[in-house]
Amino acid sequence: MQRPTRALLRRPPERYANAYAERGIPIDPSLALRQHESYAAALRHAGLATTVLDPDPSYYDSVFVEDTAVLWDGAALITRMTPEREGEQEGIAAVLRGSHTLHRLADGARLEGGDVLHTDTATYVGLTGRTNEAGAVALASFLARSGREAISVPVKDALHLKTACTYLGDGTLLCVPGQVDESRFDVESVLHTAAGEAAAANCLRLGDHLLMADGYPATRRTLNRFAASHGLELVVLDISEFEKGDGSLTCLSSIW
Ligand code: CIR
């Protein structure tokens, strides 16, 4: 897996809390901003240089930048998103143009960054409500330029592939039981989230740091053991105000 050195983030717009309030989900906007700052600080602590963009008031979910692009080897595959978010990727594409060669999806292809999981040996693409076969094929040809394989994985009962599982590094996958066929992954070991802690599956490994979301004590014990045995610092972040919007750790940044 390429070791990332840079991260792109976007602060949540005022509309973020309002949009969820209209659906009866109360989000505290100032807490969301503080949690976003802590997240950015954790990325810097892990050695990444961060660029934090001003909010995009046109798209309430625009804090979830991961979904807008897949980054690999100096190139960016700009995604096509769920209808409510379609268009959001253009603001990120305008920024990435300065550092990446941009590639686009054909009409009819759908892909979101949350469905793309890189391990040391391959890239996995989730087939979900957000990513279709044509999107997976487009990702495969995007990565083929770098001689990298993309392997499709159907996902059950999760928004994205990385809601169901993430790669912890050191040959280890962390999965919610039953949401993906674990035998499809070329890994040495598989850990599971504890019962009732599915949202703990989305972790972010950055060098010798492993970031996990706060509030999942049983899975935290598992990850503490993993971190200790691999010489990692486990960093636990409260991202409650983003979880309320179905977000998780990886979706708050695009890293390369
Ligand atoms: C959405 O439905 O698109 C947002 N509310 C949540 C996106 C989370 N993205 C991610 O986990 N990669």
Side-chain angles (χ1 to χ4, degrees):
M1 197 163 52
Q2 294 175 340
R3 185 170 175 155
T5 56
R6 301 198 57 87
L8 182 65
L9 292 75
R10 196 190 270 293
R11 276 189 285 276
E14 271 179 41
R15 281 187 63 201
Y16 175 62
N18 298 341
Y20 286 93
E22 282 165 16
R23 301 176 208 171
I25 301 170
I27 288 178
D28 176 338
S30 55
L31 179 56
L33 277 177
R34 286 201 301 281
Q35 290 179 348
H36 197 261
E37 278 163 19
S38 300
Y39 176 82
L43 298 191
R44 287 191 286 271
H45 177 62
L48 273 63
T50 55
T51 300
V52 183
L53 303 175
D54 286 337
D56 179 347
S58 306
Y59 298 95
Y60 64 84
D61 266 340
S62 51
V63 66
F64 301 124
V65 290
E66 172 185 62
D67 294 322
T68 62
V70 179
L71 308 179
W72 193 261
D73 234 1
L77 180 59
I78 304 303
T79 61
R80 287 188 181 231
M81 309 175 74
T82 192
E84 314 85 73
R85 296 185 63 187
E86 184 52 30
E88 186 185 307
Q89 67 273 42
E90 295 309 326
I92 298 297
V95 176
L96 290 175
R97 188 167 288 125
S99 49
H100 290 72
T101 309
L102 302 193
H103 295 245
R104 299 277 179 173
L105 292 173
D107 285 348
R110 280 283 179 80
L111 176 72
E112 291 189 356
D115 278 318
V116 179
L117 185 163
H118 303 298
T119 69
D120 296 316
T121 53
T123 294
Y124 297 86
V125 52
L127 300 174
T128 62
R130 300 296 181 89
T131 294
N132 61 14
E133 294 277 0
V137 168
L139 178 73
S141 65
F142 171 74
L143 293 173
R145 296 169 314 108
S146 310
R148 194 169 171 87
E149 197 184 359
I151 299 160
S152 297
V153 182
V155 180
K156 259 195 299 189
D157 305 326
L159 178 62
H160 287 124
L161 175 61
K162 280 187 291 195
T163 323
C165 62
T166 51
Y167 184 60
L168 302 181
D170 295 293
T172 305
L173 194 70
L174 174 65
C175 290
V176 181
Q179 293 190 337
V180 290
D181 176 357
E182 296 162 13
S183 69
R184 293 177 92 109
F185 291 84
D186 176 26
V187 290
E188 286 152 33
S189 57
V190 178
L191 300 176
H192 293 109
T193 56
E197 297 189 356
N202 186 277
C203 289
L204 182 55
R205 170 79 183 265
L206 298 169
D208 51 8
H209 291 70
L210 178 62
L211 278 52
M212 76 169 293
D214 195 15
Y216 308 102
T219 309
R220 183 172 173 169
R221 284 193 287 280
T222 302
L223 294 179
N224 253 325
R225 283 193 295 274
F226 175 81
S229 64
H230 292 88
L232 308 177
E233 181 181 339
L234 183 67
V235 179
V236 182
L237 289 171
D238 185 3
I239 52 164
S240 62
E241 303 315 285
F242 300 110
E243 290 177 322
K244 291 175 187 171
D246 289 330
S248 46
L249 283 171
T250 61
C251 62
L252 291 170
S253 58
S254 282
I255 58 176
W256 71 95

